[in-house]
Amino acid sequence: MSMRRMGLLHGLLRDKPCPLTMAQSQQQNYCKNSGEDICKLKKQLEEATQRRKEAEAAAEAEREAAMIKNRVDKCIVEKTRAFKECVEGSADKQQQDILRIMMGCLKTGIRQICANSVISAFCRAKAEAGANKIRQMLKQCGEKFPKGAGSNREPTAVDLIQKKCRGMAENKKLQAPGGNQAERSRYAKKVDQCVASEWKDLCSSRSSLSEKEQVELDSMQQCVCDQIKEKCRKQVLREMCVDGGQQPRKKANSQVLSVKARPKEVAEEVPEEKPSPPPKESLNPEVEKCVEAKLQSVEGFVRSLSDDEGTARENISECARIKLREQCEAEIQQRKLEEEIQRKKCLEKKARREAEMQQRKLSEEKARNEAEARRAKCLENRARKEAEMQQRKLSEEKARKEAEARRAKCLKNRARKEAEMQQRKLSEEKARKEGEARREKCLENRTREAKAKDDKCQPGGPGGGTEAVVNQELLKHFRECLFKTLGGPHDTQPGRKVTIAGAGAVGMACAMALLCKGVTNHVALFDDQKDWVAAERLDMLHGSMFINNPRIEQCNGVAATKDSRLVVLTAGNRPKPNETRLDVAQKTADIVKAVMPALLEQSPRATFIVVSNHADVMAWVARKVTNLPYERCFSTGCHLDTARFRLFIGQLLGIAARSVHGYVIGEHGGSSVPLWSTVSVGGVRLQEILPVIGTESDPMYWSAVHKDVVEAAFRVIAVKGYTNWAIGLTVADVVSAIFEDSHRVLTLSTNVQGFCGVKDEVFMSVPCVVSGHGISAICRPKLSDWEKKRFLKSAQTLLEAQCSIKV
């Protein structure tokens, strides 16, 4: 708005009386003359007045809230300090701890108590202020009217003040009287709002008055009403004039006051226009029923309104209907919305139930189809199994017939073999008797020659000496205690031909050791790989000039082994790095079973030395399939273990291995038994120096020597893949003892049934006497308890291995 127009507006306001005292027609003319800016200005002034009142009310509320908060905080501090002093002054420490733990809960209670007490005090103070205000009005009424002159009747239960207070309690509001002029309607509305506020304060403070003062208030009700109306008229007029830019003039004020003092006359002079009721919308019976039900609770308030309030009962009822209709419509809308939601939920639940039912039907149909498919498959499987069962029965019947045929053939072969065995036994018995006769004759000749020699050498006899007396019976008994003599003599094959069955690394090492040591110069090689054997034969023949020109038979099959005096069996499967000798026993046993009968057929008087792994078990297999005498079918056994045992002891003691005497018996493998009781050096037994040598109580851990003996072969195999030179030299030593008929004691593997508590036929290494046909006697070892226990355990291991072989 321009400055010129603002100046004009102020001039108009100064020249004109207060706008509230003018008629509405003059106000309309004023708005038309001043233009739209004046109306806008009035609207802005009203909005500013409203904002100012709201700000003042907010500021007043903030001041009251701040005052209450300060009082509450002060109360909390005082009570908390007093509580802490009480806690600290308590003599019982346990009570102090409990109160400190409950401090948080008690502070909450203190805060609530203080808030209630401060708010109650504030409300009482406010009510007391309202009561003082009422007393002031009663005092003014008492000064203005004589006692009892302010009321035309005695106070009753239906007095105006009581009706007003009941209306306030029921949240009823008085409708401002209408008028023809807009300014008049606004003024009346403000006055009515002020009156309603004053009445609200009066009703809230009325309970603080004494009974006498309440009776006096009822008697002075008309005076009190006039004072409230007069006060509100002055206050509203002052506010509206201040908002319009002018202070009210006394004359105008008096006119206004006179009009206000006579509300009925003013109503006659200026007829008020009742506000037209809002157009009714389409009536909903449900909404109207709800409105009528709610209106019944306010009918008493409507009837209690007096005519001097200037408000029609119909307007109040219509206003209440509008408000209640809105509330009922909201409630009905909310209820319909909830019903719609519930209906949708029911529909969704129904649809979900139908979907689940459909899914269940589909699942049942699928399960039924699957069951039918399984039933059909089961019937098919049953038919197939029955067919297979029938086929199996036929196969079993056929196999049974074939087994019976094989059994009959086996019985026939067994009868033939038994006949042959009987014939062989008769032949051997005859040969044995002939040998014993020759031996007795030989012994008789030797005895006669020795006696003649002794007679010549000894003085007193035929040769000049006395005759020596020897107890032959005691000597024979002594020998029986020392060793067990095996059967003999045997008709051995003449010559020195040695057959090596198996031209692998071990077999060729045996051949080279025999030739190089000069044990024999007649060797035959036999292997199923003929080209390989031929190449090995040629390689050896190329150096024959350096080994006394040996005779190596042409390799033309098993016939090359004919008439051999000794057969060394080295054929078999080579063990893998993580495999023991027992793991490959069955594979090697099959080879031994296939080879031994053919070799025995070519050389029936030969002695067989088994070297194939596992040597103990393979010697038992070879003897089973050939039924040879035990003294002509044996294994090198622990002869190599004994050589290693003496070597390691000699290395520790710093002497030659030949100067160490001792034996390793049992299995040629992990369960072998070192005979520490037999170990001697220069005639001194080591056990006499250290009685616990080799046992678990040995402080020098001599048992490590035997551990090295067991692991020696595996250490070589881990690098080379096999061992051959040591076993080759071992075989050469055994063959040399046989050819020389030296009667040397070697640890060879043979049947030890009946020795040291062994009850089964088990091939194990024990000290044996080696003669021209093989083993002539077995020494009876005197073992300690520790050695005997280990020996029986080794026998059990070998027995289990023998039982696992299918012969």
Side-chain angles (χ1 to χ4, degrees):
M1 184 182 293
S2 62
M3 297 298 295
R4 182 173 177 276
R5 186 170 294 179
M6 286 293 295
L8 180 61
L9 177 61
H10 285 292
L12 292 172
L13 292 174
R14 284 194 301 270
D15 296 337
K16 297 289 182 181
C18 180
L20 296 178
T21 60
M22 298 177 63
Q24 186 171 357
S25 60
Q26 293 176 352
Q27 183 180 1
Q28 291 176 356
N29 293 333
Y30 175 78
C31 291
K32 289 179 180 180
N33 294 332
S34 301
E36 296 178 357
D37 293 338
I38 300 297
C39 296
K40 290 180 180 180
L41 178 62
K42 291 179 65 179
K43 186 176 181 180
Q44 292 175 0
L45 291 174
E46 291 178 357
E47 292 176 355
T49 302
Q50 184 67 22
R51 286 195 299 271
R52 178 174 56 78
K53 289 184 177 181
E54 292 176 355
E56 290 177 356
E60 182 65 23
E62 288 179 359
R63 284 194 300 273
E64 292 179 357
M67 180 187 66
I68 292 173
K69 184 177 182 302
N70 292 334
R71 292 181 180 180
V72 170
D73 293 341
K74 184 177 179 181
C75 175
I76 290 172
V77 170
E78 292 176 356
K79 289 185 178 293
T80 303
R81 184 171 60 251
F83 177 74
K84 288 183 178 179
E85 291 176 357
C86 179
V87 170
E88 292 175 355
S90 178
D92 191 350
K93 186 176 183 303
Q94 184 177 3
Q95 293 180 0
Q96 292 181 2
D97 295 337
I98 295 173
L99 292 174
R100 289 191 184 94
I101 293 172
M102 297 175 59
M103 181 63 75
C105 301
L106 295 174
K107 283 185 177 180
T108 303
I110 290 171
R111 189 179 294 107
Q112 185 67 32
I113 291 171
C114 288
N116 294 337
S117 62
V118 171
I119 291 173
S120 299
F122 180 78
C123 292
R124 286 196 301 271
K126 198 167 183 180
E128 186 65 25
N132 292 334
K133 187 175 179 182
I134 294 173
R135 293 187 185 99
Q136 185 67 27
M137 287 191 298
L138 292 175
K139 183 179 179 181
Q140 292 178 4
C141 290
E143 293 175 354
K144 186 175 181 180
F145 299 100
K147 186 175 182 180
S151 177
N152 297 328
R153 56 184 175 82
E154 293 296 329
T156 62
V158 291
D159 287 331
L160 178 60
I161 292 178
Q162 293 182 4
K163 288 194 297 181
K164 292 282 186 181
C165 292
R166 283 198 303 270
M168 290 294 176
E170 296 176 1
N171 292 326
K172 297 293 183 179
K173 293 183 180 179
L174 297 176
Q175 184 176 358
N180 294 330
Q181 300 175 1
E183 188 67 25
R184 171 61 182 169
S185 299
R186 186 168 63 88
Y187 167 75
K189 182 178 180 181
K190 289 180 176 292
V191 171
D192 291 339
Q193 290 176 354
C194 177
V195 169
S197 176
E198 291 293 332
W199 273 108
K200 182 178 179 180
D201 294 341
L202 185 144
C203 291
S204 61
S205 302
R206 184 171 180 268
S207 60
S208 301
L209 299 175
S210 62
E211 184 178 355
K212 182 179 179 180
E213 290 175 340
Q214 290 183 10
V215 172
E216 186 179 358
L217 176 63
D218 292 336
S219 63
M220 297 292 182
Q221 57 183 357
Q222 188 61 43
C223 178
V224 171
C225 291
D226 293 341
Q227 287 190 33
I228 290 174
K229 291 179 181 179
E230 186 68 20
K231 179 181 178 181
C232 288
R233 290 190 186 102
K234 290 181 181 179
Q235 182 178 350
V236 171
L237 182 62
R238 187 182 302 107
E239 291 176 356
M240 294 185 70
C241 289
V242 169
D243 294 338
Q246 286 186 345
Q247 294 292 333
R249 297 179 182 178
K250 295 182 179 180
K251 186 176 180 180
N253 288 342
S254 62
Q255 292 177 357
V256 173
L257 291 175
S258 62
V259 173
K260 280 292 182 179
R262 300 188 304 274
K264 292 183 178 180
E265 294 176 0
V266 173
E268 292 175 358
E269 293 176 0
V270 184
E272 295 181 358
E273 183 179 352
K274 295 183 180 179
S276 60
K280 294 185 179 180
E281 299 177 357
S282 59
L283 298 179
N284 189 344
E286 188 176 2
V287 174
E288 293 301 323
K289 184 178 180 180
C290 174
V291 171
E292 292 296 334
K294 291 183 179 293
L295 274 176
Q296 290 180 2
S297 62
V298 297
E299 284 296 330
F301 172 73
V302 174
R303 287 193 300 268
S304 65
L305 292 177
S306 58
D307 295 336
D308 58 356
E309 290 294 324
T311 304
R313 186 178 294 108
E314 292 79 5
N315 293 338
I316 294 295
S317 178
E318 186 62 29
C319 179
R321 286 180 181 276
I322 293 172
K323 297 296 182 181
L324 293 175
R325 186 177 290 110
E326 293 177 357
Q327 184 179 2
C328 288
E329 287 177 353
E331 292 177 356
I332 293 171
Q333 185 67 20
Q334 181 66 22
R335 186 170 66 255
K336 287 183 178 180
L337 182 61
E338 292 176 355
E339 291 176 355
E340 182 66 19
I341 293 173
Q342 189 66 24
R343 187 179 64 81
K344 288 182 178 180
K345 287 183 179 179
C346 292
L347 292 176
E348 291 177 357
K349 188 174 181 180
K350 183 178 179 181
R352 186 167 60 252
R353 192 182 301 109
E354 291 177 354
E356 290 177 355
M357 186 67 69
Q358 187 68 20
Q359 184 67 24
R360 191 181 299 108
K361 289 181 179 179
L362 293 175
S363 300
E364 291 175 355
E365 183 68 22
K366 183 178 179 181
R368 185 166 55 254
N369 294 335
E370 291 178 354
E372 292 178 355
R374 285 196 300 271
R375 191 179 299 108
K377 187 175 180 180
C378 182
L379 294 174
E380 183 181 354
N381 292 336
R382 184 180 298 173
R384 186 175 65 255
K385 287 182 179 179
E386 290 177 355
E388 291 177 355
M389 185 67 70
Q390 187 68 23
Q391 185 66 24
R392 190 180 298 111
K393 287 181 179 180
L394 294 176
S395 301
E396 290 176 354
E397 183 67 21
K398 182 179 178 181
R400 186 179 61 79
K401 291 181 179 180
E402 292 177 354
E404 289 178 355
R406 285 195 303 270
R407 190 179 299 110
K409 186 177 179 181
C410 181
L411 292 174
K412 184 177 179 181
N413 292 335
R414 184 179 296 174
R416 180 174 55 79
K417 287 182 179 181
E418 287 178 354
E420 293 176 355
M421 186 67 67
Q422 187 68 22
Q423 185 65 30
R424 189 181 297 115
K425 285 182 179 180
L426 293 174
S427 300
E428 290 177 355
E429 183 66 22
K430 183 178 179 181
R432 186 180 61 80
K433 290 179 180 180
E434 291 177 355
E436 288 179 354
R438 286 196 300 271
R439 189 179 297 108
E440 289 177 359
K441 186 176 181 181
C442 181
L443 289 175
E444 185 179 354
N445 293 333
R446 285 183 182 179
T447 304
R448 187 169 56 252
E449 290 175 359
K451 185 177 181 182
K453 186 177 180 180
D454 291 340
D455 290 341
K456 293 179 180 179
C457 295
Q458 291 181 1
T466 59
E467 182 178 2
V469 179
V470 178
N471 193 334
Q472 296 295 330
E473 293 295 330
L474 291 177
L475 180 60
K476 183 179 180 180
H477 181 70
F478 188 84
R479 287 179 178 178
E480 289 178 355
C481 292
L482 181 60
F483 49 79
K484 175 185 177 181
T485 304
L486 299 182
H490 293 272
D491 185 15
T492 59
Q493 180 71 33
R496 286 178 174 253
K497 181 179 179 180
V498 179
T499 292
I500 307 297
V506 175
M508 298 312 299
C510 293
M512 287 300 297
L514 290 170
L515 295 174
C516 291
K517 290 187 69 176
V519 176
T520 183
N521 64 345
H522 190 183
V523 176
L525 300 178
F526 169 67
D527 199 288
D528 58 351
Q529 298 182 9
K530 296 181 180 180
D531 294 338
W532 175 272
V533 176
E536 290 285 3
R537 174 178 175 273
L538 289 175
D539 194 12
M540 293 176 67
L541 285 175
H542 294 165
S544 60
M545 185 181 68
F546 309 109
I547 51 176
N548 298 324
N549 296 315
R551 177 186 175 186
I552 304 175
E553 295 286 347
Q554 179 68 33
C555 302
N556 55 358
V558 74
T561 66
K562 187 175 179 61
D563 295 334
S564 298
R565 183 176 178 182
L566 281 174
V567 177
V568 180
L569 183 61
T570 64
N573 283 341
R574 182 179 300 172
K576 297 179 181 178
N578 294 329
E579 213 171 23
T580 64
R581 293 182 177 90
L582 297 177
D583 294 333
V584 294
Q586 185 60 51
K587 297 179 181 178
T588 306
D590 296 336
I591 297 173
V592 172
K593 288 189 294 183
V595 172
M596 281 298 295
L599 294 174
L600 180 61
E601 184 178 357
Q602 296 296 326
S603 305
R605 294 185 293 173
T607 299
F608 289 81
I609 303 175
V610 181
V611 183
S612 304
N613 280 326
H614 185 281
D616 303 302
V617 179
M618 294 306 110
W620 173 78
V621 174
R623 196 265 166 191
K624 276 287 184 184
V625 298
T626 60
N627 202 25
L628 282 168
Y630 294 111
E631 54 268 26
R632 287 173 51 201
C633 184
F634 54 89
S635 169
T636 54
C638 290
H639 190 35
L640 177 56
D641 300 78
T642 299
R644 291 168 176 163
F645 186 58
R646 294 179 181 180
L647 172 65
F648 296 153
I649 293 175
Q651 289 177 349
L652 289 175
L653 298 178
I655 59 176
R658 288 190 175 186
S659 299
V660 179
H661 299 279
Y663 298 98
V664 176
I665 63 174
E667 178 198 1
H668 173 51
S671 65
S672 60
V673 182
L675 299 182
W676 289 101
S677 60
T678 65
V679 177
S680 64
V681 176
V684 180
R685 293 196 308 121
L686 300 186
Q687 200 174 49
E688 294 178 355
I689 301 174
L690 184 63
V692 294
I693 186 171
T695 63
E696 290 81 358
S697 304
D698 184 2
M700 296 181 65
Y701 299 101
W702 281 91
S703 59
V705 174
H706 177 251
K707 184 178 180 182
D708 292 339
V709 171
V710 174
E711 296 178 354
F714 295 102
R715 293 176 181 175
V716 177
I717 293 172
V719 181
K720 285 179 59 178
Y722 58 88
T723 60
N724 59 338
W725 300 119
I727 188 62
L729 294 171
T730 302
V731 171
D733 186 63
V734 175
V735 174
S736 175
I738 294 173
F739 284 167
E740 294 174 357
D741 194 16
S742 61
H743 289 78
R744 289 165 53 193
V745 177
L746 306 178
T747 48
L748 304 179
S749 180
T750 185
N751 182 21
V752 295
Q753 186 176 11
F755 285 84
C756 299
V758 179
K759 299 179 182 180
D760 300 296
E761 181 184 355
V762 181
F763 271 60
M764 297 176 64
S765 293
V766 290
C768 300
V769 180
V770 180
S771 60
H773 63 271
I775 299 175
S776 61
I778 301 175
C779 294
R780 301 180 189 273
K782 303 299 180 181
L783 306 180
S784 64
D785 293 339
W786 180 84
E787 293 169 343
K788 185 176 180 180
K789 182 179 179 181
R790 297 284 296 273
F791 185 78
L792 292 176
K793 183 178 180 181
S794 180
Q796 183 64 29
T797 302
L798 287 171
L799 181 61
E800 292 176 358
Q802 290 177 182
C803 293
S804 65
I805 301 298
K806 297 179 181 179
V807 180

